[in-house]
C-alpha cells in the first residue's frame, strides 16, 4: 500500500521542515545583508505572497491528485506529454541541491560540535576568518562532515514517510521554533541592537526598483520555500483524499517566512550591537557570528544553540531533497526504499565532493572565479528554481483546464480567481521578465 502521512499536522510540519533550512538562516541573512535589508524584505514578501503561495498550492494539488512521485504525477494529469520533464527537472534539481547543500550543512554540524566541545573558541591568530578558511580548504575534513550529514538524513528517510520523515519533523520543528525565538529575544536585549532592526525593516526605496535586488529576492524566495523541486508534489502525494490544500499551503509559506524574519531578528541585531558587517556575505554565519558569540555574555551557550539550529534545520530540508528522487526511483524503477535511499544518498555524496573541495584542492574548478559551491548555488536559485516554477505555472495555469485546476486545489470563488490570475499571468510574466533581465545583463 502507498505510504501516507499520519496526520495533517505531520504533513504540514514535514513540509515546513523542508522549507525551513539553511535558506532561512544562513542564506536569508546574507542575501538580505547584501541587498539592502529592508528593501529586499519588502520585495521578498511580495514574491512570497503572490508567487510562493499559489505555486505551493499548485504543487501540492498536482501531487495529491497523482498520488505519485514528481514525474508520474505530471503523467497522470497529462499522459504522453512532454510536461513530465518539469517533473524530471525537479527530481534532478533536488539531487543537485542535495549534493552541495549537504556540504554547507556539514560546516554547520562541525561548528555545532566544535561549539559544544569548546574547541571552537581556540581562535587561530587570524581569528575566525582564518579558522573558517583553513577548515573549508582542508582536503578531507569538509568531506567527513558532508558525509555525516548525508548519513543522518539517509537514516531518517530509510525509516519511511510517517515513521521517518514525519516523526523527525514533529520533534525537531517545534524545538527549532523555540530556539530561534529565544535567540531573537536574546539578541534584541543587547545594547545597540536597534540598528539591526532598522536595517531589516527600514526600506531603502531606491533599492526597490533595482532589478538585481528583485532577482535576488525572487531567487531567495524560491530557494527558501523550496519551489519547483517537486518536494510539494512528492509530499502532496502522501496526502489522503479528504485532506485540504489551501490552508496548509498558506501555513507552510507563512511559517517559512516568519522563521526567516525571526532568524534575521536573531542575527542582525547581534551584528549591529557588536559592529559587524551585515553584508559580510556567505561567511556571515561562520565568521562574523562566532566573533560576536565570543564577545557577548553567555555567547558560548548561544553558539551551541545557534549551530544546533542551523544543522537540524538543514537536516529536515535534506530529508525532503532525498525523498524526491527516492520516491521517483521507487515508483519508476521499482526499487525498494532502502536501495533507492542508498542510490540517491551515494550519488549525492559523490556529487558533493567537487563543491566541498572547491575552497581547497579543487579551487581551480570554476567558471567565473567564484568558488564552485557559490556558483552552483547561484545558478540553482536564480535560474533552475525559477525555470521549474515557470514550467509549473504554465502547466497548472494553461495546460490544465481552469475548472480542473481549481477543483484539484479545492479552491472556489474569489480566492480561486486570484489563484488562477497569479499562476496564469503574474508568475510567468514576473519570472520571464527577470530571466530576460539576467540574460541581458550577462
Ligand atoms: N528550503 C530549503 C532552505 O531554505 O534551506 C532548501 C531547499 C529545500 C531548496 C528543498 C529546495 C528544495 F526543494
Amino acid at each position: 500500500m502507498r505510504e501516507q502521512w499520519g496526520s495533517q499536522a505531520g504533513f504540514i510540519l514535514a513540509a515546513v521542515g523542508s522549507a525551513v533550512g539553511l535558506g532561512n538562516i544562513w542564506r536569508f541573512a546574507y542575501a538580505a545583508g547584501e541587498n539592502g535589508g529592508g528593501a529586499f524584505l519588502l520585495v521578498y514578501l511580495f514574491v512570497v505572497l503572490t508567487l510562493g503561495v499559489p505555486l505551493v498550492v499548485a504543487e501540492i494539488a498536482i501531487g495529491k491528485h497523482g498520488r505519485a512521485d514528481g514525474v508520474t504525477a505530471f503523467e497522470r494529469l497529462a499522459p504522453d506529454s512532454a510536461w513530465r520533464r518539469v517533473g524530471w527537472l525537479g527530481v534532478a534539481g533536488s539531487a543537485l541541491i542535495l549534493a552541495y547543500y549537504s556540504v554547507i550543512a556539514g560546516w554547520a554540524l562541525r561548528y555545532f560540535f566544535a561549539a559544544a566541545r569548546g574547541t571552537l573558541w581556540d581562535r587561530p591568530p587570524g581569528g575566525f576568518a582564518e579558522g573558517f578558511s583553513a577548515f573549508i580548504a582542508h582536503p578531507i575534513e569538509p568531506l567527513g562532515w558532508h558525509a555525516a550529514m548525508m548519513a543522518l538524513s539517509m537514516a531518517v528517510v530509510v525509516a519511511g514517510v510517517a515513521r521517518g520523515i514525519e516523526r523527525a519533523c514533529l520533534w525537531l520543528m517545534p524545538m527549532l521554533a523555540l530556539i530561534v525565538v529565544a535567540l531573537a529575544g536574546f539578541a534584541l536585549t543587547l545594547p545597540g541592537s536597534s540598528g539591526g532592526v532598522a536595517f531589516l525593516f527600514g526600506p531603502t526605496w531606491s533599492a526597490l526598483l533595482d532589478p538585481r535586488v528583485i532577482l535576488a529576492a525572487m531567487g531567495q524566495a524560491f530557494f527558501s520555500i523550496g519551489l519547483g523541486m517537486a518536494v510539494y508534489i512528492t509530499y502532496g502525494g502522501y496526502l489522503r483524499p479528504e485532506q485540504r490544500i489551501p490552508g496548509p499551503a498558506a501555513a507552510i509559506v507563512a511559517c517559512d517566512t516568519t522563521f526567516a524574519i525571526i532568524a534575521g531578528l536573531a542575527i542582525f541585531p547581534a551584528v549591529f550591537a557588536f559592529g559587524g558587517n551585515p553584508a559580510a556575505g556567505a561567511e556571515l554565519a561562520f565568521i562574523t557570528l562566532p566573533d560576536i558569540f565570543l564577545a557577548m555574555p553567555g555567547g558560548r551557550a548561544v553558539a551551541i544553540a545557534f549551530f544546533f539550529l542551523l544543522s537540524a534545520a538543514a537536516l529536515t530540508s535534506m530529508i525532503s531533497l532525498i525523498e524526491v528522487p527516492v520516491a521517483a526511483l521507487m515508483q519508476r524503477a521499482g526499487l525498494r526504499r532502502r536501495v533507492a535511499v542508498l542510490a540517491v544518498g551515494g550519488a549525492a555524496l559523490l556529487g558533493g565532493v567537487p563543491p566541498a573541495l572547491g575552497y581547497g584542492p579543487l579551487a581551480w574548478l570554476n567558471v567565473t572565479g567564484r568558488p564552485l559551491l557559490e556558483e552552483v548555488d547561484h545558478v540553482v536559485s536564480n535560474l533552475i528554481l525559477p525555470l521549474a516554477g515557470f514550467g509549473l505555472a504554465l502547466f497548472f495555469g494553461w495546460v490544465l483546464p481552469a475548472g480542473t485546476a481549481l477543483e484539484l486545489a479545492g479552491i472556489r470563488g474569489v480566492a480561486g480567481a486570484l489563484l488562477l490570475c497569479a499562476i496564469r499571468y503574474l508568475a510567468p510574466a514576473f519570472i520571464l521578465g527577470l530571466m530576460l533581465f539576467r540574460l541581458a545583463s550577462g
Side-chain angles (χ1 to χ4, degrees):
M1 209 192 89
R2 190 167 166 75
E3 291 180 87
Q4 282 185 337
W5 300 110
S7 66
Q8 177 86 315
F11 160 65
I12 295 178
L13 284 183
V16 171
S18 167
V20 169
L22 295 170
N24 301 62
I25 308 163
W26 163 77
R27 204 175 185 289
F28 178 81
Y30 92 73
E34 280 179 347
N35 290 289
F40 177 87
L41 185 61
L42 263 188
V43 185
Y44 182 79
L45 289 178
F46 173 79
V47 177
V48 159
L49 272 179
T50 56
L51 270 65
V53 178
L55 288 175
V56 171
V57 169
E59 271 204 40
I60 301 179
I62 292 171
K64 184 181 166 200
H65 172 268
R67 314 197 80 216
D69 64 282
V71 181
T72 313
F74 277 97
E75 276 176 355
R76 295 207 168 141
L77 279 166
D80 302 320
S81 78
W83 287 99
R84 75 162 83 84
R85 297 210 181 120
V86 180
W88 278 121
L89 184 61
V91 172
S94 46
L96 174 71
I97 298 177
L98 176 65
Y100 78 86
Y101 194 89
S102 168
V103 174
I104 312 162
W107 299 349
L109 190 64
R110 185 255 182 192
Y111 270 63
F112 166 63
F113 272 98
R117 288 167 48 206
T119 51
L120 185 62
W121 313 114
D122 312 334
R123 293 167 85 213
F128 290 113
E130 188 184 308
F132 181 61
S133 311
F135 163 59
I136 57 176
H138 195 276
I140 299 164
E141 254 204 79
L143 287 181
W145 294 105
H146 158 54
M149 277 308 295
M150 194 65 80
L152 274 176
S153 323
M154 288 164 70
V156 175
V157 180
V158 150
V161 173
R163 288 188 42 233
I165 301 176
E166 182 172 350
R167 208 153 51 152
C169 293
L170 274 174
W171 275 98
L172 282 172
M173 296 324 291
M175 201 154 120
L176 296 187
L178 283 181
I179 295 178
V180 78
V181 168
L183 285 175
F186 181 72
L188 288 169
T189 62
L190 295 168
S193 61
S194 55
V197 180
F199 176 75
L200 192 59
F201 291 119
T204 339
W205 298 109
S206 59
L208 267 185
L209 294 175
D210 182 345
R212 268 168 313 214
V213 173
I214 302 177
L215 185 64
M218 181 179 75
Q220 173 60 23
F222 271 73
F223 186 85
S224 184
I225 298 174
L227 276 175
M229 293 296 98
V231 167
Y232 296 106
I233 299 184
T234 309
Y235 277 16
Y238 302 128
L239 283 171
R240 291 168 221 273
E242 70 275 10
Q243 284 177 293
R244 291 188 26 82
I245 298 175
I252 292 162
V253 175
C255 285
D256 184 60
T257 306
T258 310
F259 207 100
I261 293 176
I262 298 181
L265 282 177
I267 293 172
F268 290 117
V271 169
F272 274 77
F274 288 88
N277 173 15
E283 64 211 43
L284 189 66
F286 298 101
I287 298 176
T288 315
L289 288 184
D291 256 326
I292 291 170
F293 293 144
L294 197 60
M296 74 170 48
R300 293 177 180 224
V302 174
I304 299 175
F306 177 80
F307 287 112
F308 174 78
L309 172 74
L310 201 56
S311 315
L315 177 75
T316 56
S317 298
M318 286 177 64
I319 293 171
S320 70
L321 289 166
I322 297 185
E323 180 64 16
V324 170
V326 161
L329 281 179
M330 284 172 67
Q331 188 137 11
R332 303 189 68 91
L335 296 188
R336 304 213 342 237
R337 177 168 281 276
R338 198 175 313 156
V339 182
V341 170
L342 273 178
V344 173
L349 196 59
L350 284 182
V353 172
L357 298 184
Y359 296 88
L362 297 183
W364 50 270
L365 192 68
N366 65 67
V367 189
T368 57
R370 260 201 304 216
L372 184 65
L373 189 151
E374 286 160 39
E375 216 158 78
V376 179
D377 181 52
H378 240 254
V379 173
V380 163
S381 307
N382 293 351
L383 196 68
I384 299 185
L385 298 188
L387 267 185
F390 184 71
L392 185 72
L394 290 190
F395 179 74
F396 198 78
W398 295 99
V399 176
L400 293 185
T404 312
L406 290 181
E407 199 184 307
L408 292 187
I411 299 186
R412 269 184 257 148
V414 183
L418 283 175
L419 176 84
L420 272 189
C421 186
I423 291 196
R424 283 195 154 176
Y425 306 105
L426 194 69
F430 196 84
I431 298 172
L432 200 65
L434 282 175
M435 293 289 110
L436 289 178
F437 161 77
R438 192 187 150 83
L439 278 181
S441 62

